[in-house]
Amino acid sequence: MLTDQEREEIEAELRRYPDKRAGCVEAMKVVQRHHGWVSDDSLKSLALLLGMTCEELEGVATFYNLIFRKPVGRHVILLCDSISCWIKGCDALRGHVTSRLGIAMGQTSADGRFTLLPIVCLGACDHAPVMMIDDDLHGDLTTEQIDHIVERYP
Amino acid sequence: MERPLTQRIRPQADPMNLAEYEDTGGYEAARKAVQTMAPQDVQRLVTDSTLRGRGGAGFATGLKWSFVPMGLDAPRPKYLVANADEMEPGTFKDRLLLEGDPHQMVESMVVSAYAIQAEVGYIFLRSEYKRAARLLHKAIAEARSHGYLGRNLFGSDFSFDLHLHTSAGRYICGEETALLNSLEGKRAIPRSKPPYPQTAGLWGKPTVVQNVETLYNVPHIVRHGVEWYRGLGHGHEGGTKLYGVSGNVKRPGTWELPMGTTMRTILEEYAGGMCEGFSFRGLLPGGASTAFVTEEHLDLPMDFESLPRAGSRMGTGTMIVLDDRTCPVGFVRNLEHFFAQESCGWCTPCWEGLSWTERILEGLEEGRGRPEDLDLLTMHTRLIGPGRTFCALAPGAMDPLQSALKHFRADFERHIHERRCPWREQGATIGARR
C-alpha cells in the first residue's frame, strides 16, 4: 500500500515524462525515502500505478544497485572501492569499518543503525578515500575520522 | 589564461543564482542564439569550433548534431539529454561544473536544444550527486520562472522545457543507448546500433545525448565566436579542457587549462608532482578505460590526437597515477573487478570474459599465478576487445590490462615466480593490500 503522501510525490515525478513507466525509478526512490527500501507490497502497488507488471518492475528494481529490495539500516554507508580510493587505502578503511560495526560488507548492524555497502567511484577522487553516509559525502578519510563521522549518525 | 567553463565557480561558496549569473553575461548566448541566429547557424559554429565530446569518446559534436532530422517534417518531439552520469573511476570533473555553476548547465541545454530544435531536455544525473541535484532543481525552477525555460523563449516561437532525472546507480547508464533505456524506465542495457539516437533515440524520437562538459562549451562558442574559442587551446584542438589528477600526488585536483596542455605540466605544475617517497611509474590519462602511458610519453599534449601516439586515449582527461609503492597487478585487478561488476550482462564476451579476467588477476595477487596466465590474459584482451560486444564497456576494460601487460610485464612475472604479490610484504602502501 502506498500512502497519500507517497502517491502525491510519485505523481509529481511522473509529470516530467510522457510515459508513466519512465518514472518508475523515481517512484521507487520515493518509496525508499519513506521506508528505506522497496517491499514486495510496495512493488505491487507501484506496478499497478505505473501500468507495469510486477515482473517488469522487479527487473528494473534489481538492475540498479541503489534500489534496495531488502530492509536497510537507518543509515546507509557507501564505501568507495574504485581505483583512486584503492590507491589511497580504502581496503584498510573497509577492514576498520567492518570490525568497528561488527558487520561484513552488504550487512546491516544488529541494532538496525547501519547498512554497509560498497560503491563505485563517487567522483571525488581528489579527496580519496571517500564514502557517503545517506546524502552526505565524506572525503580525505582516515580510520580516526571515520570513527568521529559515524558518531554523527545515531 | 581564460577559463570560460569555470570562470563563475567560487570555491567553498554557493553557486551564482540567476541574477548573479546574468550579471556576468549569463543567458546572453541563449538570447543571442534564439533571437538572432538560425538553428543551422548555431550548428555550424559548433562544427567549425571542432568541439569534440568530453565524455571519453571524443566524437565531433557538430557532426553528431548534423544527423538530427531538421525542418518541419522532422519527427517530434526531439530530445536533448545531458549525460551527467559521471561514474568513470578516477573522473571528477562534471561534478565540479554541476555543483559550481548549475545555471550554465541550463543555458547550455537551451542553446544546444535550439540548435537541434529539441522541445524537451533531460539532465540524467547519477543518484549520488545529491548536492548537484539540489542546485540543479533550484536553477531549473529559477530559469523557468523567468521564462528562460518553457514556451516562447526570449520572445521567439522556440519552446523548450528541461527536467532533472536522477538515476539509481550502475555505470552502464553512462553509455548513451543504455542511458536512453534507463530514462524510459527499463533495465539499462545498451541498444544495437544503428539506428543511432540522433534519428531514433528516446521513445524512438530524434535525440542527442551529450556529456556535461561538452555542453558547457556551447554558450561560449556562440557568445565569443569560433576564432576566439579555437585560440584558447594549444595546437589544433581548440578550447579548454577540464583536467584532473588523482593518486599519490601532492595536490590532487581538477583544473581548466588550454586543450593540449602536456601531461607533464598537469602532473608536475598543477598536481605538484609525486608525494614524498613515491616515484612515478605510469598513469591512465582519462579514467579507468584508457591505456597506461609511462614517463617517456609525459611530454605529449593531453588532447584527442596526441594520446593515440602513446597507444592510449585522452578519455575524460582525468588522470589516475600509478606509483612505485602500489602494485600494478593489484591496480588492474581493482579495475577489472569494477568492470566485471558493472557489466550489464547483455552480451556473453563481456560478462563471462570480464569475470574470468578478474579471477585470473586475483589468482596472481594471491600467489596462485601460473606462467600460462599471461597468455590467457592477453587472449582475453583480444577476444573481448573492440567489435565483439554491443558497447564499449568491455573493450574499454581491456585497455588498461593490455597496456599493463606491456609496460609492467616484469611485475606480472614476479607475481608468478615468487608465488605472491611482491608489494604485500613491504607494507609500504595500504593500497596494495587487498
Side-chain angles (χ1 to χ4, degrees):
Chain A
M1 277 294 288
L2 301 168
T3 63
D4 289 346
Q5 173 76 20
E6 285 169 89
R7 268 178 202 283
E8 201 175 299
E9 288 177 31
I10 290 166
E11 295 293 345
E13 299 288 348
L14 297 186
R15 279 197 284 276
R16 298 205 300 271
Y17 309 94
D19 171 33
K20 279 196 284 189
R21 173 185 186 141
C24 69
V25 169
E26 300 275 22
M28 289 191 282
K29 286 165 76 173
V30 168
V31 170
Q32 275 190 185
R33 272 204 295 278
H34 290 276
H35 304 282
W37 66 296
V38 181
S39 66
D40 286 352
D41 278 349
S42 296
L43 189 105
K44 278 180 207 158
S45 310
L46 279 175
L48 201 64
L49 182 75
L50 297 164
M52 296 168 76
T53 66
C54 289
E55 291 76 11
E56 281 175 321
L57 188 58
E58 175 75 334
V60 176
T62 53
F63 189 87
Y64 298 94
N65 53 299
L66 295 173
I67 300 295
F68 305 135
R69 288 287 281 118
K70 282 193 226 169
V72 291
R74 288 196 296 284
H75 307 287
V76 175
I77 303 178
L78 301 175
L79 206 53
C80 176
D81 64 3
S82 288
I83 188 66
S84 304
C85 286
W86 179 78
I87 294 170
K88 299 297 264 184
C90 69
D91 286 351
L93 291 184
R94 179 176 52 212
H96 179 79
V97 174
T98 50
S99 66
R100 187 187 156 91
L101 300 181
I103 49 173
M105 296 302 287
Q107 293 183 339
T108 300
S109 57
D111 58 3
R113 188 170 159 206
F114 290 112
T115 295
L116 186 58
L117 297 172
I119 192 74
V120 299
C121 182
L122 286 168
C125 318
D126 46 345
H127 294 288
V130 299
M131 67 174 177
M132 280 184 86
I133 302 184
D134 303 335
D135 288 356
D136 312 323
L137 181 74
H138 300 280
D140 301 308
L141 296 172
T142 61
T143 47
E144 297 78 39
Q145 273 171 331
I146 283 192
D147 292 346
H148 291 301
I149 292 166
V150 162
E151 287 312 310
R152 286 186 244 153
Y153 297 86
Chain B
M1 197 190 305
E2 289 189 83
R3 297 189 168 95
L5 274 52
T6 55
Q7 63 187 350
R8 295 187 183 88
I9 297 180
R10 308 177 286 205
Q12 318 300 329
D14 282 340
M16 290 188 179
N17 61 26
L18 191 137
E20 293 169 304
Y21 181 75
E22 282 201 286
D23 283 347
T24 54
Y27 289 105
E28 265 180 31
R31 186 175 280 109
K32 179 180 172 184
V34 172
Q35 288 183 342
T36 70
M37 296 172 74
Q40 278 84 351
D41 292 340
V42 180
Q43 287 197 23
R44 196 168 307 118
L45 275 185
V46 171
T47 303
D48 293 346
S49 75
T50 69
L51 174 64
R52 292 174 66 167
R54 309 299 202 226
F59 194 80
T61 307
L63 184 62
K64 192 184 225 181
W65 293 5
S66 74
F67 300 126
V68 176
M70 299 293 286
L72 292 174
D73 51 359
R76 298 202 169 271
K78 293 190 255 183
Y79 294 99
L80 175 68
V81 180
N83 186 345
D85 198 52
E86 181 167 72
M87 226 179 279
E88 179 75 24
T91 299
F92 49 108
K93 63 184 185 68
D94 295 338
R95 181 201 278 272
L96 175 77
L97 296 176
L98 295 164
E99 291 183 354
D101 197 358
H103 270 291
Q104 205 180 334
M105 178 81 263
V106 177
E107 183 178 16
S108 303
M109 292 293 279
V110 172
V111 180
S112 307
Y114 179 74
I116 59 162
Q117 293 287 290
E119 287 95 337
V120 183
Y122 290 100
I123 300 169
F124 189 101
L125 182 71
R126 70 177 292 189
S127 181
E128 299 90 331
Y129 281 11
K130 303 288 183 186
R131 179 159 191 260
R134 201 170 64 244
L135 295 168
L136 285 167
H137 267 304
K138 190 165 161 251
I140 290 170
E142 268 191 304
R144 195 175 284 135
S145 69
H146 276 71
Y148 295 170
L149 288 172
R151 303 206 62 77
N152 302 107
L153 303 189
F154 305 103
S156 73
D157 57 2
F158 173 63
S159 298
F160 175 69
D161 208 357
L162 178 61
H163 307 286
L164 180 67
H165 174 93
T166 63
S167 189
R170 294 311 292 271
Y171 171 71
I172 195 64
C173 295
E175 199 280 339
E176 66 174 3
T177 58
L179 183 152
L180 296 176
N181 277 337
S182 184
L183 253 181
E184 291 182 8
K186 299 170 182 161
R187 289 169 75 89
I189 51 176
R191 297 176 181 177
S192 176
K193 294 186 270 191
Y196 290 90
Q198 293 96 315
T199 51
L202 204 51
W203 295 292
K205 303 293 185 187
T207 304
V208 164
V209 183
Q210 210 79 65
N211 166 260
V212 168
E213 184 189 351
T214 315
L215 290 163
Y216 271 54
N217 281 272
V218 176
H220 301 286
I221 296 168
V222 167
R223 199 166 155 221
H224 301 294
V226 166
E227 209 171 308
W228 169 86
Y229 182 79
R230 301 205 57 178
L232 293 174
H234 300 318
H236 296 303
E237 296 169 35
T240 59
K241 177 76 191 79
L242 286 179
Y243 295 117
V245 182
S246 67
N248 283 311
V249 294
K250 290 201 182 93
R251 292 189 301 272
T254 323
W255 309 274
E256 183 183 5
L257 299 172
M259 175 67 92
T261 303
T262 68
M263 286 188 271
R264 193 182 299 282
T265 303
I266 299 163
L267 190 62
E268 290 175 3
E269 284 180 31
Y270 290 89
M274 302 303 293
C275 290
E276 280 318 312
F278 291 82
S279 306
F280 176 85
R281 288 206 70 201
L283 60 80
L284 305 182
S289 36
T290 55
F292 277 102
V293 301
T294 52
E295 173 73 32
E296 61 182 308
H297 306 122
L298 287 185
D299 291 310
L300 281 176
M302 269 286 269
D303 59 28
F304 294 108
E305 283 175 21
S306 305
L307 267 295
R309 281 191 261 148
S312 189
R313 299 184 301 118
M314 181 165 76
T316 61
T318 40
M319 311 171 182
I320 310 161
V321 177
L322 170 69
D323 59 78
D324 63 328
R325 290 162 68 174
T326 300
C327 172
V329 178
F331 188 112
V332 177
R333 177 197 173 184
N334 176 280
L335 298 179
E336 299 310 329
H337 168 74
F338 167 83
F339 287 114
Q341 173 186 291
E342 294 302 315
S343 170
C344 76
W346 187 235
C347 41
T348 312
C350 181
W351 64 263
E352 276 283 308
L354 290 177
S355 39
W356 277 109
T357 306
E358 185 195 353
R359 232 176 282 183
I360 296 166
L361 292 165
E362 184 183 283
L364 288 173
E365 277 287 272
E366 290 171 3
R368 292 181 274 108
R370 305 161 307 163
E372 58 268 34
D373 283 347
L374 299 191
D375 289 337
L376 205 53
L377 286 173
T378 305
M379 185 188 84
H380 275 81
T381 63
R382 284 198 303 272
L383 290 182
I384 48 182
R388 296 177 189 269
T389 49
F390 268 99
C391 80
L393 184 140
M398 291 300 99
D399 272 351
L401 176 60
Q402 58 82 9
S403 55
L405 284 165
K406 185 171 100 189
H407 296 302
F408 311 115
R409 193 167 190 91
D411 297 314
F412 281 79
E413 286 164 350
R414 268 185 79 192
H415 280 73
I416 297 167
H417 296 147
E418 296 180 21
R419 300 198 145 276
R420 68 188 180 99
C421 171
W423 275 264
R424 289 203 188 187
E425 275 188 6
Q426 286 184 353
T429 170
I430 313 161
R433 295 163 197 262
R434 197 189 152 101

Coordinates of all heavy atoms in Angstrom, one line a residue, chain B residues 127-177:
Chain B
S127 N 22.7 9.2 -9.1 CA 22.0 9.3 -7.8 C 22.8 9.9 -6.7 O 22.3 10.7 -5.9 CB 21.5 7.9 -7.4 OG 20.8 8.0 -6.2
E128 N 24.1 9.6 -6.7 CA 24.9 10.0 -5.6 C 25.3 11.5 -5.6 O 25.8 12.0 -4.6 CB 26.2 9.2 -5.5 CG 26.0 7.7 -5.4 CD 25.9 7.0 -6.7 OE1 25.4 7.6 -7.7 OE2 26.2 5.8 -6.8
Y129 N 25.1 12.2 -6.7 CA 25.4 13.6 -6.8 C 24.2 14.4 -6.2 O 23.5 15.1 -6.8 CB 25.7 14.1 -8.2 CG 27.1 13.7 -8.7 CD1 27.9 12.9 -7.9 CD2 27.6 14.2 -9.8 CE1 29.2 12.5 -8.4 CE2 28.9 13.9 -10.3 CZ 29.6 13.1 -9.5 OH 30.9 12.8 -10.0
K130 N 24.1 14.3 -4.8 CA 22.9 14.9 -4.1 C 22.9 16.4 -4.2 O 21.9 17.1 -4.3 CB 22.9 14.4 -2.7 CG 22.8 12.9 -2.5 CD 21.5 12.3 -2.9 CE 21.5 10.8 -2.7 NZ 20.2 10.2 -3.2
R131 N 24.1 17.0 -4.0 CA 24.2 18.4 -3.9 C 23.9 19.0 -5.3 O 23.2 20.0 -5.4 CB 25.7 18.8 -3.5 CG 25.9 20.3 -3.4 CD 27.0 20.7 -2.5 NE 27.0 22.2 -2.3 CZ 27.8 23.0 -3.0 NH1 28.7 22.6 -3.8 NH2 27.7 24.3 -2.8
A132 N 24.5 18.4 -6.3 CA 24.2 18.8 -7.7 C 22.7 18.8 -8.0 O 22.2 19.7 -8.6 CB 25.0 18.0 -8.7
A133 N 22.0 17.7 -7.5 CA 20.6 17.6 -7.8 C 19.8 18.7 -7.2 O 19.0 19.4 -7.8 CB 20.1 16.3 -7.2
R134 N 20.2 19.1 -5.9 CA 19.5 20.2 -5.2 C 19.7 21.5 -6.0 O 18.8 22.3 -6.2 CB 20.1 20.3 -3.8 CG 19.2 21.0 -2.8 CD 19.7 20.8 -1.4 NE 21.0 21.4 -1.2 CZ 22.2 20.7 -0.9 NH1 22.1 19.4 -0.7 NH2 23.3 21.4 -0.7
L135 N 21.0 21.7 -6.4 CA 21.3 23.0 -7.0 C 20.7 23.1 -8.4 O 20.2 24.2 -8.9 CB 22.8 23.2 -7.1 CG 23.5 23.3 -5.7 CD1 25.0 23.2 -5.9 CD2 23.1 24.6 -5.1
L136 N 20.6 22.0 -9.1 CA 20.0 22.0 -10.5 C 18.5 22.2 -10.4 O 18.0 22.9 -11.2 CB 20.4 20.6 -11.2 CG 21.8 20.5 -11.7 CD1 22.1 19.1 -12.1 CD2 22.0 21.4 -12.9
H137 N 17.9 21.5 -9.4 CA 16.4 21.8 -9.2 C 16.2 23.2 -9.1 O 15.3 23.8 -9.7 CB 15.9 21.0 -8.0 CG 15.4 19.6 -8.3 ND1 14.4 19.4 -9.2 CD2 15.7 18.4 -7.8 CE1 14.1 18.1 -9.3 NE2 14.9 17.5 -8.4
K138 N 17.0 23.9 -8.3 CA 16.8 25.3 -8.0 C 17.0 26.1 -9.2 O 16.3 27.0 -9.5 CB 17.8 25.7 -6.9 CG 17.6 27.1 -6.3 CD 18.4 27.2 -5.0 CE 18.5 28.7 -4.7 NZ 19.9 29.2 -4.8
A139 N 18.1 25.8 -10.0 CA 18.4 26.6 -11.2 C 17.3 26.4 -12.2 O 16.9 27.4 -12.9 CB 19.8 26.2 -11.7
I140 N 16.8 25.2 -12.4 CA 15.8 25.0 -13.4 C 14.5 25.8 -13.0 O 13.9 26.4 -13.8 CB 15.5 23.5 -13.5 CG1 16.7 22.7 -14.2 CG2 14.2 23.2 -14.3 CD1 16.6 21.2 -14.1
A141 N 14.2 25.7 -11.7 CA 13.0 26.5 -11.2 C 13.1 28.0 -11.5 O 12.2 28.6 -11.9 CB 12.7 26.1 -9.8
E142 N 14.3 28.5 -11.1 CA 14.6 29.9 -11.3 C 14.5 30.3 -12.8 O 13.8 31.3 -13.2 CB 16.0 30.3 -10.9 CG 16.1 30.7 -9.5 CD 17.5 31.3 -9.2 OE1 18.5 30.5 -9.5 OE2 17.6 32.4 -8.8
A143 N 15.1 29.5 -13.7 CA 15.1 29.7 -15.1 C 13.6 29.7 -15.6 O 13.2 30.5 -16.4 CB 16.0 28.8 -15.9
R144 N 12.9 28.7 -15.1 CA 11.5 28.6 -15.6 C 10.7 29.8 -15.2 O 9.9 30.3 -16.0 CB 10.9 27.3 -15.1 CG 9.6 26.8 -15.8 CD 9.1 25.5 -15.3 NE 9.9 24.4 -15.9 CZ 10.3 23.3 -15.1 NH1 10.1 23.3 -13.9 NH2 11.0 22.4 -15.7
S145 N 10.9 30.2 -14.0 CA 10.0 31.3 -13.5 C 10.4 32.6 -14.2 O 9.6 33.6 -14.2 CB 10.1 31.5 -12.0 OG 11.4 31.9 -11.6
H146 N 11.6 32.7 -14.8 CA 12.0 33.9 -15.5 C 11.7 33.8 -17.0 O 12.1 34.6 -17.8 CB 13.5 34.2 -15.4 CG 13.8 35.0 -14.1 ND1 13.7 34.4 -12.9 CD2 14.1 36.3 -13.9 CE1 14.0 35.3 -12.0 NE2 14.3 36.5 -12.6
G147 N 11.1 32.7 -17.4 CA 10.7 32.5 -18.8 C 11.9 32.0 -19.7 O 11.8 32.2 -20.9
Y148 N 13.0 31.6 -19.0 CA 14.1 31.1 -19.8 C 14.0 29.6 -20.1 O 14.8 29.0 -20.8 CB 15.4 31.3 -19.1 CG 15.8 32.8 -18.9 CD1 16.8 33.2 -18.1 CD2 15.0 33.8 -19.6 CE1 17.1 34.5 -17.9 CE2 15.3 35.1 -19.4 CZ 16.4 35.5 -18.6 OH 16.7 36.8 -18.4
L149 N 13.0 29.0 -19.6 CA 12.6 27.6 -19.9 C 11.0 27.7 -20.1 O 10.4 28.4 -19.4 CB 12.9 26.6 -18.8 CG 14.4 26.2 -18.6 CD1 14.6 25.4 -17.4 CD2 15.0 25.5 -19.9
G150 N 10.5 26.8 -21.0 CA 9.1 26.8 -21.2 C 8.7 27.3 -22.6 O 9.5 27.0 -23.5
R151 N 7.6 28.0 -22.7 CA 7.1 28.4 -24.0 C 7.7 29.7 -24.5 O 8.0 30.6 -23.7 CB 5.6 28.5 -24.0 CG 4.9 27.2 -23.6 CD 3.5 27.0 -24.1 NE 3.5 26.9 -25.6 CZ 3.9 25.8 -26.3 NH1 4.3 24.7 -25.7 NH2 3.9 25.9 -27.6
N152 N 7.9 29.8 -25.8 CA 8.3 31.0 -26.5 C 9.5 31.8 -25.8 O 9.3 32.9 -25.3 CB 7.1 32.0 -26.6 CG 6.0 31.3 -27.3 OD1 5.0 30.9 -26.8 ND2 6.1 31.1 -28.6
L153 N 10.6 31.1 -25.8 CA 11.8 31.7 -25.1 C 12.3 32.9 -25.8 O 12.4 33.0 -27.0 CB 12.9 30.6 -25.1 CG 12.5 29.3 -24.4 CD1 13.8 28.4 -24.2 CD2 11.9 29.5 -23.1
F154 N 12.6 33.9 -25.0 CA 13.1 35.2 -25.4 C 12.2 35.8 -26.6 O 12.8 36.3 -27.5 CB 14.6 35.0 -25.9 CG 15.4 34.4 -24.8 CD1 15.8 33.1 -24.9 CD2 15.9 35.1 -23.8 CE1 16.6 32.5 -24.0 CE2 16.7 34.6 -22.8 CZ 17.0 33.2 -22.9
G155 N 10.9 35.7 -26.4 CA 10.0 36.2 -27.4 C 10.0 35.6 -28.7 O 9.4 36.1 -29.7
S156 N 10.6 34.4 -28.8 CA 10.6 33.7 -30.1 C 9.5 32.6 -30.1 O 8.7 32.5 -29.2 CB 12.0 33.0 -30.3 OG 12.0 31.9 -29.5
D157 N 9.5 31.8 -31.2 CA 8.5 30.8 -31.2 C 9.1 29.4 -30.8 O 8.6 28.4 -31.0 CB 7.8 30.6 -32.6 CG 8.8 30.4 -33.7 OD1 10.0 30.3 -33.4 OD2 8.4 30.3 -34.9
F158 N 10.4 29.5 -30.2 CA 11.1 28.3 -29.8 C 10.7 28.0 -28.3 O 10.7 28.9 -27.4 CB 12.6 28.6 -29.9 CG 13.4 27.4 -29.2 CD1 13.3 26.1 -29.8 CD2 14.2 27.7 -28.1 CE1 14.1 25.1 -29.2 CE2 15.0 26.7 -27.6 CZ 14.9 25.4 -28.1
S159 N 10.2 26.8 -28.1 CA 9.8 26.4 -26.7 C 10.7 25.2 -26.3 O 11.0 24.3 -27.1 CB 8.4 26.0 -26.7 OG 7.6 27.1 -27.0
F160 N 11.1 25.2 -25.1 CA 12.0 24.1 -24.6 C 11.8 24.0 -23.1 O 11.9 25.0 -22.4 CB 13.4 24.4 -24.9 CG 14.4 23.4 -24.3 CD1 14.5 22.1 -24.8 CD2 15.3 23.8 -23.3 CE1 15.4 21.2 -24.3 CE2 16.2 22.9 -22.8 CZ 16.3 21.6 -23.2
D161 N 11.5 22.8 -22.6 CA 11.5 22.6 -21.2 C 12.5 21.5 -20.8 O 12.9 20.7 -21.6 CB 10.1 22.2 -20.7 CG 9.8 22.7 -19.3 OD1 10.8 23.2 -18.7 OD2 8.7 22.5 -18.7
L162 N 12.9 21.7 -19.5 CA 14.1 20.9 -19.1 C 13.7 20.2 -17.7 O 13.1 20.8 -16.9 CB 15.3 21.8 -18.9 CG 16.6 21.3 -18.3 CD1 17.1 20.2 -19.3 CD2 17.6 22.4 -18.1
H163 N 14.1 18.9 -17.6 CA 13.8 18.2 -16.4 C 15.0 17.5 -15.9 O 15.9 17.1 -16.7 CB 12.7 17.1 -16.7 CG 11.5 17.6 -17.4 ND1 10.5 18.3 -16.7 CD2 11.1 17.5 -18.7 CE1 9.6 18.6 -17.5 NE2 9.9 18.2 -18.7
L164 N 15.1 17.4 -14.6 CA 16.2 16.6 -14.0 C 15.7 15.2 -13.7 O 14.6 15.0 -13.1 CB 16.6 17.3 -12.6 CG 17.7 16.6 -11.9 CD1 19.0 16.7 -12.7 CD2 17.9 17.3 -10.5
H165 N 16.5 14.2 -14.2 CA 16.2 12.8 -13.8 C 17.4 12.3 -13.0 O 18.5 12.4 -13.4 CB 16.1 12.0 -15.1 CG 16.0 10.5 -14.9 ND1 14.7 9.9 -14.8 CD2 16.9 9.6 -14.7 CE1 14.9 8.6 -14.6 NE2 16.2 8.4 -14.5
T166 N 17.1 11.8 -11.8 CA 18.1 11.2 -11.0 C 18.1 9.7 -11.1 O 17.0 9.1 -10.9 CB 18.1 11.7 -9.5 OG1 16.9 11.2 -9.0 CG2 18.2 13.2 -9.4
S167 N 19.2 9.1 -11.3 CA 19.3 7.7 -11.6 C 19.4 6.9 -10.2 O 19.2 7.5 -9.2 CB 20.4 7.3 -12.5 OG 20.4 6.0 -12.9
A168 N 19.7 5.6 -10.3 CA 19.8 4.8 -9.1 C 21.0 3.9 -9.2 O 20.9 2.7 -8.8 CB 18.5 4.0 -9.0
G169 N 22.1 4.4 -9.8 CA 23.3 3.6 -9.8 C 23.5 2.9 -11.2 O 22.7 3.1 -12.1
R170 N 24.6 2.1 -11.3 CA 25.0 1.4 -12.5 C 25.7 2.2 -13.5 O 25.2 3.0 -14.2 CB 23.8 0.6 -13.1 CG 23.2 -0.5 -12.3 CD 24.3 -1.4 -11.7 NE 24.9 -2.3 -12.6 CZ 24.5 -3.5 -13.1 NH1 23.4 -4.0 -12.6 NH2 25.2 -4.1 -13.9
Y171 N 27.0 1.9 -13.6 CA 28.0 2.6 -14.5 C 27.5 2.5 -16.0 O 27.7 3.5 -16.7 CB 29.3 1.9 -14.4 CG 30.4 2.2 -15.4 CD1 31.0 3.4 -15.4 CD2 30.8 1.3 -16.4 CE1 32.1 3.7 -16.3 CE2 31.8 1.6 -17.2 CZ 32.4 2.8 -17.2 OH 33.5 3.0 -18.1
I172 N 26.8 1.5 -16.4 CA 26.4 1.3 -17.8 C 25.5 2.4 -18.2 O 25.3 2.6 -19.4 CB 25.8 -0.1 -18.0 CG1 25.7 -0.5 -19.5 CG2 24.5 -0.3 -17.4 CD1 27.1 -0.6 -20.2
C173 N 24.8 3.0 -17.3 CA 23.9 4.1 -17.7 C 24.6 5.2 -18.4 O 24.0 6.1 -19.1 CB 23.1 4.7 -16.5 SG 22.0 3.5 -15.7
G174 N 25.9 5.3 -18.2 CA 26.7 6.4 -18.9 C 26.8 6.1 -20.4 O 27.1 7.0 -21.2
E175 N 26.6 4.8 -20.8 CA 26.6 4.5 -22.3 C 25.3 5.1 -22.9 O 24.2 4.8 -22.3 CB 26.7 3.0 -22.4 CG 27.1 2.5 -23.8 CD 26.1 2.5 -24.9 OE1 24.8 2.5 -24.5 OE2 26.4 2.5 -26.0
E176 N 25.4 5.8 -24.0 CA 24.3 6.6 -24.4 C 23.0 5.9 -24.6 O 21.9 6.3 -24.3 CB 24.6 7.6 -25.5 CG 24.9 7.0 -26.8 CD 25.1 8.0 -27.9 OE1 25.0 9.3 -27.6 OE2 25.3 7.6 -29.1
T177 N 23.1 4.7 -25.3 CA 21.8 4.0 -25.5 C 21.3 3.3 -24.3 O 20.1 3.1 -24.1 CB 22.0 3.0 -26.7 OG1 23.0 2.0 -26.4 CG2 22.4 3.7 -28.0

